[in-house]
Amino acid sequence: MEVKMDPLFLALSYFRRRRLQQCSDICTKILQDNPYDQAAWSLKTRALTEMVYIDEIEVDQEGIAEMMLDESSIAQVARPGTSLRLPGTSQGGGPTPAVRPLTQSGRPITGFVRPSTQSGRPGTMEQAIKTPRTASTARPVTSASGRFIRLGTTLFEYIFHHENDVKNALDLAAQATEHAQFKDWWWKVQLGKCYYRLGLYREAEKQFRSALNHKEVVDTYLYLAKVYQRLDQPITALNLFKQGLDHFPGEVTLLTGIARIHEEMNNISSATEYYKDVLKQDNTHVEAIACIGSNHFYTDQPEIALRFYRRLLQMGVYNCQLYNNLGLCCFYAQQYDMTLSSFERAQALVANDEEQADVWYNIGHVAVGIGDLTLGYQCFKLALANNNDHAEAYNNLAVLELRKGRIEQIGDLQGSYTAAQKSEDSFPEHVDTQQLLKQLRQHFAAL
């Protein structure tokens, strides 16, 4: 005799196995027979929400609207060491910006790509238009808070995440908070998330603070720190993270938050210490391993950096960026047999033209390092063929043209001064380009 599985149980099984579309389809069939089945409604909204869920704790990039209509800043020029938008010089004996490459926002290159460090705050409208936004998150989705899922909470998450209707989500959260006599911390956190999404950061701060007064939860500390980072108050965010560590000693997400802020403020040595504390709690933390490896590379310790990147390979991380870093570490550690094979792997794993350009640029850098200037010239040209805004490739082309004595543009060849100007157009704050342009202008003045 054939035994049929209960449809709701089957839908729940699909949900647990992350087969969300099949779960939603079964719930739809159940609701066609019984539109008032709250369990089916709850499970379907959860499945639809999980399809588009993005961790709200991550600090997202500022768009053009935030850049042009920033009403949260008070002082136009912040004191050094108190702003994420003006990170200043390296502190605590770390590497200087001239040694460690910088992003276009003036922040040091990190070892791990995050939404808040992709390109930072655009300096001009042209840069803002060219700045891509990211929908991915660097840290994993946070664990459930232990709260029993009810239809009201799943309905809110469906409206907030799936429908992206912040206004109605805010109304629902406000009514639920009032119904709970303003004593439910979870609904206050949801109110804070809605206010944050609407750009009302001070109102969001009040809700998160009130939620912490009711119950100490790690996620609430992370949400509140996100508000302070958007308000450009990194010192307040650091103090909040440390306050959270008093209640949750050794919490990885809080330690990581502190390390990220120090890194964005160019305090690399302190960031590295906190990333080491992260590894003491979780020795498989990819971001901490990558950032520590990056720091060792930029402090002339490629052999040690190589150990960290190999550790990532052992953990199953397999992408173009990792093999790019392995190739450079092998080159500077004089393990030449592994250098080209690493770049070949990187070439096989490229996902877009920008990654392809970075691989060709690094191969060109290696070629120049071994004295093959012709190969280096060709590699930089290939980098520009894939990414016409690659400032570093333009800069190195300008240096090679200068060595050949071709200072101005000759026919269809790229002259040194022209290439340096294009590098400056792509990345105005590039230190090496500015030094090269200064040298070229002094040459023209002496003629």
Side-chain angles (χ1 to χ4, degrees):
M1 183 177 65
E2 183 179 358
V3 179
K4 292 185 178 181
M5 184 180 295
D6 180 75
L8 185 62
F9 183 82
L10 179 60
L12 185 59
S13 175
Y14 280 136
F15 181 82
R16 289 176 175 172
R17 287 180 284 162
R18 304 295 297 173
R19 295 167 69 174
L20 302 174
Q21 187 60 53
Q22 292 168 292
C23 172
S24 175
D25 294 340
I26 293 177
C27 289
T28 301
K29 294 179 181 179
I30 296 174
L31 291 171
Q32 287 175 352
D33 298 331
N34 182 11
Y36 299 102
D37 191 331
Q38 292 192 9
W41 275 116
S42 178
L43 185 57
K44 181 177 180 178
T45 54
R46 288 183 65 190
L48 293 174
T49 301
E50 288 294 325
M51 291 181 188
V52 297
Y53 185 82
I54 293 178
D55 192 356
E56 289 289 315
I57 292 176
E58 276 294 346
V59 180
D60 49 345
Q61 285 183 291
E62 293 178 304
I64 300 178
E66 291 87 350
M67 178 189 71
M68 303 302 296
L69 302 174
D70 185 5
E71 298 178 353
S72 61
S73 61
I74 299 175
Q76 294 296 324
V77 181
R79 290 181 298 170
T82 62
S83 174
L84 295 174
R85 297 169 187 170
L86 298 172
T89 58
S90 177
Q91 304 172 18
T96 62
V99 174
R100 191 183 184 96
L102 304 179
T103 65
Q104 293 191 12
S105 62
R107 293 175 180 173
I109 293 292
T110 63
F112 195 82
V113 176
R114 300 184 289 271
S116 60
T117 58
Q118 281 276 70
S119 59
R121 183 182 178 87
T124 64
M125 178 64 74
E126 290 75 12
Q127 292 177 1
I129 293 174
K130 293 191 293 184
T131 299
R133 292 182 64 85
T134 177
S136 62
T137 57
R139 59 187 296 278
V141 174
T142 52
S143 59
S145 61
R147 178 185 177 85
F148 290 105
I149 298 297
R150 299 191 297 266
L151 184 57
T153 59
T154 55
L155 180 60
F156 170 84
E157 292 181 345
Y158 172 78
I159 296 173
F160 186 80
H161 292 287
H162 188 273
E163 296 299 314
N164 198 24
D165 190 347
V166 182
K167 182 179 182 298
N168 282 329
L170 178 63
D171 292 339
L172 176 59
Q175 292 180 21
T177 303
E178 184 178 357
H179 179 74
Q181 299 179 349
F182 304 97
K183 295 180 181 179
D184 193 317
W185 66 271
W186 191 87
W187 281 112
K188 291 188 176 182
V189 170
Q190 309 316 308
L191 273 175
K193 289 165 59 177
C194 292
Y195 282 131
Y196 180 88
R197 189 77 74 86
L198 293 171
L200 303 173
Y201 304 124
R202 288 303 180 185
E203 286 75 5
E205 176 193 7
K206 293 177 183 178
Q207 296 298 330
F208 291 139
R209 284 285 184 187
S210 180
L212 281 176
N213 291 335
H214 287 288
K215 187 173 183 178
E216 300 281 347
V217 179
V218 174
D219 283 5
T220 310
Y221 280 105
L222 297 174
Y223 282 125
L224 186 54
K226 178 180 176 181
V227 171
Y228 288 130
Q229 287 175 263
R230 178 51 64 90
L231 291 173
D232 197 22
Q233 297 181 9
I235 304 301
T236 306
L238 285 175
N239 293 333
L240 180 68
F241 280 130
K242 292 175 182 178
Q243 178 185 342
L245 286 173
D246 293 337
H247 295 88
F248 304 96
E251 173 58 39
V252 170
T253 54
L254 298 177
L255 291 170
T256 304
I258 296 176
R260 289 177 178 179
I261 292 179
H262 280 302
E263 191 174 47
E264 291 179 18
M265 295 175 67
N266 207 5
N267 195 352
I268 305 299
S269 58
S270 296
T272 303
E273 292 301 318
Y274 277 101
Y275 278 127
K276 290 180 180 178
D277 291 339
V278 170
L279 290 182
K280 292 177 183 178
Q281 305 296 328
D282 180 8
N283 58 10
T284 61
H285 197 279
V286 175
E287 179 178 348
I289 296 174
C291 290
I292 294 175
S294 175
N295 181 56
H296 282 300
F297 178 81
Y298 286 117
T299 51
D300 295 329
Q301 297 174 316
E303 298 87 356
I304 301 178
L306 196 58
R307 296 180 184 176
F308 285 91
Y309 291 131
R310 283 177 175 170
R311 171 62 176 164
L312 292 178
L313 274 181
Q314 294 171 351
M315 290 168 53
V317 180
Y318 192 74
N319 56 35
C320 171
Q321 292 84 354
L322 179 57
Y323 278 105
N324 237 337
N325 293 345
L326 281 170
L328 289 174
C329 288
C330 290
F331 174 70
Y332 285 105
Q334 299 182 1
Q335 298 183 16
Y336 301 120
D337 55 331
M338 295 294 296
T339 301
L340 288 181
S341 62
S342 297
F343 285 127
E344 287 176 356
R345 292 285 184 90
Q347 288 274 22
L349 294 172
V350 292
N352 51 55
D353 290 342
E354 291 184 359
E355 291 182 1
Q356 186 80 58
D358 288 337
V359 176
W360 281 119
Y361 170 77
N362 286 329
I363 296 175
H365 189 72
V366 170
V368 172
I370 62 177
D372 193 341
L373 302 185
T374 303
L375 175 60
Y377 188 91
Q378 294 173 344
C379 290
F380 296 141
K381 281 286 191 180
L382 287 170
L384 292 174
N386 288 278
N387 181 9
N388 200 36
D389 292 325
H390 203 292
E392 291 82 359
Y394 275 122
N395 179 79
N396 287 9
L397 271 179
V399 174
L400 293 180
E401 294 285 5
L402 182 61
R403 287 188 177 183
K404 295 178 181 179
R406 293 202 292 255
I407 299 178
E408 296 183 3
Q409 188 171 359
I410 304 175
D412 59 348
L413 297 176
Q414 188 69 56
S416 177
Y417 188 69
T418 307
Q421 283 183 318
K422 289 187 176 181
S423 176
E424 184 184 34
D425 293 339
S426 301
F427 189 177
E429 290 79 20
H430 193 244
V431 178
D432 293 340
T433 300
Q434 294 299 327
Q435 293 177 349
L436 179 60
L437 281 171
K438 182 180 178 181
Q439 180 181 352
L440 290 171
R441 286 164 184 157
Q442 289 176 349
H443 172 81
F444 288 135
L447 294 178

